Amino acid sequence: MRLIIEKDPKHVAIWTSQYIAKLINRHFENNPEKPFVLGLPTGSTPLETYTELIKLNKKGAVSFKNVITFNMDEYVGLPEEHPESYHTFMWGNFFNHIDIKSENVNILDGNAPDLLKECRDYEDKIKAVGGIDLFLCGVGSNGHIAFNEPFSNLASRTRLKTLIHQTRIDNSRFFGGKLENVPRNALTVGVQTITDARHLLVLAVGENKAMAVKMGVEGAYSHMCPISVIQAHPKAMMVCDRKAVQELSARTVDYFHDIEDRIRKEIW
């Protein structure tokens, strides 16, 4: 696992967007005909990264014409055109501003007539394109990834989940502060769906994510903290700002700083 520590959310977004662009470009140098498959999150954390990726796309530094995307999750029962649906979020904040083909965008349908079939079909689609090359993730303050809350099965696949009360309270800020407006259920990729990706990149910014970062990096590998699965992934990295690592021990921070200094020297 790599831990990248940048000084603030802006620099986290710049580093992350440049890394994603390099990975996409390197893929097409070696596999010009094979699509790059990218897993994507919603939420406030990745917004700046999407903004930076849009800039890189506009400059011609990276293209999404042959990129296939799979989003992590979607609310159940919320119309796609609802301002807080993840369909609206992704198209408004990212897809409408890059050169991606609409047929290459995959987002779970929270209004499907058979939700369990929708989840099975989503897994089948991922398999059909050869799996996910890079899954970009955020992390919740309690260590959850996507809607995989603490005590989620680490071998779980895309499924229907009931949202816990605290998650609905946290998300109520997007629904006018009214808990009753927050859906009670969501469709989400599973923990195993995420960790099957060849590369895993987790973003964490702000002091409210500091305990989740500590649990994920220094804590036990456990279903109590789903983000801890990064410990066992062969190509996982977490990119944080300084506030998000303030609960880590000084020895841990020094170790990862030393590793990244060595990597930078080898590159340059």
Side-chain angles (χ1 to χ4, degrees):
M1 184 186 74
R2 290 175 65 185
L3 177 65
I4 314 297
I5 304 171
E6 296 291 328
K7 67 177 183 178
D8 55 33
K10 179 69 173 179
H11 285 82
V12 167
I14 291 172
W15 192 99
T16 302
S17 62
Q18 291 177 348
Y19 177 82
I20 293 172
K22 287 177 183 177
L23 207 60
I24 291 173
N25 291 334
R26 189 184 310 145
H27 170 88
F28 287 124
E29 287 174 5
N30 299 320
N31 306 280
E33 303 303 320
K34 185 180 183 297
F36 185 89
V37 186
L38 180 62
L40 295 173
T42 53
S44 55
T45 299
L47 272 176
E48 286 199 67
T49 295
Y50 291 151
T51 298
E52 294 300 323
L53 282 171
I54 291 167
K55 292 178 183 177
L56 291 174
N57 180 239
K58 300 287 188 191
K59 292 194 301 184
V62 65
S63 174
F64 294 89
K65 287 181 180 178
N66 201 22
V67 172
I68 296 174
T69 65
F70 286 88
N71 260 80
M72 282 188 151
D73 39 32
E74 178 58 287
Y75 289 115
V76 168
L78 208 63
E80 286 188 8
E81 64 275 11
H82 189 283
E84 297 306 327
S85 79
Y86 292 158
H87 280 76
T88 297
F89 178 97
M90 290 306 303
W91 283 101
N93 290 297
F94 191 42
F95 296 141
N96 281 333
H97 309 285
I98 58 174
D99 60 346
I100 196 166
K101 298 174 183 176
S102 59
E103 61 266 29
N104 285 347
V105 172
N106 295 278
I107 305 177
L108 284 156
D109 181 2
N111 296 288
D114 186 337
L115 294 175
L116 298 184
K117 182 178 184 299
E118 172 69 10
C119 294
R120 292 192 299 269
D121 289 348
Y122 207 66
E123 288 283 336
D124 289 342
K125 287 180 184 178
I126 293 173
K127 290 177 184 176
V129 297
I132 292 174
D133 292 300
L134 168 67
F135 223 130
L136 178 67
C137 310
V139 58
S141 57
N142 63 357
H144 76 257
I145 45 176
F147 278 123
N148 298 291
E149 301 286 357
F151 301 101
S152 288
N153 189 326
L154 300 185
S156 57
R157 296 288 179 182
T158 303
R159 66 206 192 283
L160 172 66
K161 285 283 289 181
T162 299
L163 303 184
I164 65 172
H165 187 65
Q166 186 58 53
T167 293
R168 294 182 66 236
I169 290 175
D170 291 345
N171 289 359
S172 66
R173 68 187 188 277
F174 302 118
F175 292 83
K178 297 181 178 179
L179 181 63
E180 63 270 21
N181 292 342
V182 183
R184 295 181 178 273
N185 299 288
L187 301 183
T188 181
V189 295
V191 179
Q192 187 70 57
T193 312
I194 296 169
T195 56
D196 275 352
R198 285 176 275 278
H199 296 263
L200 183 57
L201 199 164
V202 180
L203 303 180
V205 298
E207 59 187 11
N208 65 317
K209 302 297 177 68
M211 285 306 302
V213 171
K214 181 176 179 62
M215 291 188 294
V217 175
E218 296 179 334
Y221 178 87
S222 168
H223 64 177
M224 291 179 64
C225 181
I227 197 59
S228 67
V229 294
I230 63 175
Q231 298 173 15
H233 194 283
K235 291 188 177 180
M237 62 174 64
M238 182 177 280
V239 188
C240 307
D241 67 354
R242 290 174 182 166
K243 290 183 178 180
V245 299
Q246 62 187 7
E247 293 292 338
L248 293 178
S249 70
R251 181 171 295 181
T252 297
V253 172
D254 286 346
Y255 170 81
F256 283 107
H257 271 313
D258 182 61
I259 292 294
E260 292 308 312
D261 284 344
R262 291 174 184 271
I263 290 174
R264 289 187 176 100
K265 287 176 183 178
E266 289 175 5
I267 292 173
W268 297 107

